[in-house]
Amino acid sequence: MIEALHLNISRHISSSQTDITEFCNLFTSKTIKKKEFLLREGEVCRFEAFVTKGLFKVYHIDAKGTEQILYFGMEDWWLTDIDSFGNQSPSQLFIEAIEDSEVLIISKKDKDFAYENFPFVEKLFRIMTQKTHSALQRRMIDNLSKTADQRYLDFIEKYPSLNQRLTNLQVAAYLGISHEFLSKIRRKTTKGK
């Protein structure tokens, strides 16, 4: 598990292997069963997690009780509620396992320690935050400017293996449409091939 984290970090920044290993040693492994939560709305997020196995959904439930999926986290992806983690305030999100999963967790205390003791960590998380921000910005623009059909086609093109692991309901909640409408889009795109 630690090797996957080490490799992920090395892809983003260059630092001594010793420093990266010492940073990786601050993480603890955790197994999460399907339908279990890493975080529930109202809890304070005290961790960042690196997914080594499995799949998660990060979502909010609106006033109507509708699940709105912000993003999915699969192998080699990071999970957190950045607002709750950074401000130590109650979360508005749920982080739930879609499959039996394994993660490496770093606590807020250990991450703060890493910032103080490993200069590369600041750069690492700045780079990752910029990438996350860019992806969320692109997603917002797509949601405002593209049709549901276009967003679905973009999703399956960008995440073909992820699409295979999700239900219609999960994909629809990510796209912000009903699962019935998603079924119509899928039928239409299948006929068009």
Side-chain angles (χ1 to χ4, degrees), residues 59-75:
Y59 64 97
H60 171 73
I61 297 179
D62 70 14
K64 296 178 186 174
T66 304
E67 187 176 291
Q68 300 168 326
I69 297 177
L70 276 68
Y71 65 95
F72 298 100
M74 61 182 179
E75 296 84 3

Side-chain angles (χ1 to χ4, degrees), residues 5 27-28 38 45 47-52 56 71 77-81 85 95 102-106:
L5 176 60
F27 288 75
T28 56
L38 264 178
C45 183
F47 66 88
E48 288 191 21
F50 176 75
V51 182
T52 57
F56 291 84
Y71 65 95
W77 289 23
W78 291 80
L79 299 169
T80 194
D81 176 337
F85 182 76
I95 301 177
E102 295 173 1
V103 294
L104 292 169
I105 301 258
I106 188 166

Side-chain angles (χ1 to χ4, degrees), residues 12-184:
H12 288 94
I13 52 103
S14 59
S15 187
S16 78
Q17 296 303 304
T18 303
D19 283 351
I20 293 175
T21 299
E22 285 183 36
F23 173 60
C24 289
N25 288 337
L26 295 174
F27 288 75
T28 56
S29 62
K30 185 170 185 170
T31 300
I32 309 292
K33 295 289 183 197
K34 181 179 179 177
K35 296 190 177 187
E36 285 185 353
F37 292 86
L38 264 178
L39 181 70
R40 292 178 191 267
E41 180 180 35
E43 297 174 350
V44 174
C45 183
R46 302 188 192 285
F47 66 88
E48 288 191 21
F50 176 75
V51 182
T52 57
K53 177 185 170 204
L55 180 60
F56 291 84
K57 61 181 176 177
V58 179
Y59 64 97
H60 171 73
I61 297 179
D62 70 14
K64 296 178 186 174
T66 304
E67 187 176 291
Q68 300 168 326
I69 297 177
L70 276 68
Y71 65 95
F72 298 100
M74 61 182 179
E75 296 84 3
D76 205 36
W77 289 23
W78 291 80
L79 299 169
T80 194
D81 176 337
I82 197 161
D83 180 28
S84 178
F85 182 76
N87 297 311
Q88 290 297 278
S89 59
S91 178
Q92 296 181 326
L93 302 176
F94 294 87
I95 301 177
E96 181 182 353
I98 295 175
E99 301 172 352
D100 289 346
S101 302
E102 295 173 1
V103 294
L104 292 169
I105 301 258
I106 188 166
S107 69
K108 176 104 170 78
K109 178 181 162 226
D110 285 339
K111 188 173 179 197
D112 289 341
F113 171 84
Y115 280 141
E116 294 294 323
N117 294 282
F118 303 106
F120 75 90
V121 173
E122 189 87 38
K123 181 178 181 183
L124 169 69
F125 282 96
R126 178 181 48 80
I127 290 168
M128 291 191 325
T129 300
Q130 287 172 335
K131 287 181 178 186
T132 300
H133 186 77
S134 296
L136 289 173
Q137 180 177 302
R138 282 191 301 274
R139 181 152 184 247
M140 285 175 61
I141 290 168
D142 287 352
N143 283 346
L144 295 170
S145 63
K146 291 184 177 181
T147 66
D149 296 51
Q150 290 170 317
R151 293 194 317 269
Y152 172 69
L153 291 172
D154 287 351
F155 177 77
I156 61 174
E157 183 181 320
K158 190 171 184 178
Y159 306 111
S161 64
L162 179 58
N163 185 47
Q164 300 300 315
R165 295 164 73 178
L166 300 171
T167 66
N168 273 3
L169 284 172
Q170 291 162 340
V171 174
Y174 176 80
L175 296 173
I177 59 177
S178 70
H179 69 279
E180 294 87 4
F181 190 58
L182 177 61
S183 294
K184 287 179 186 176

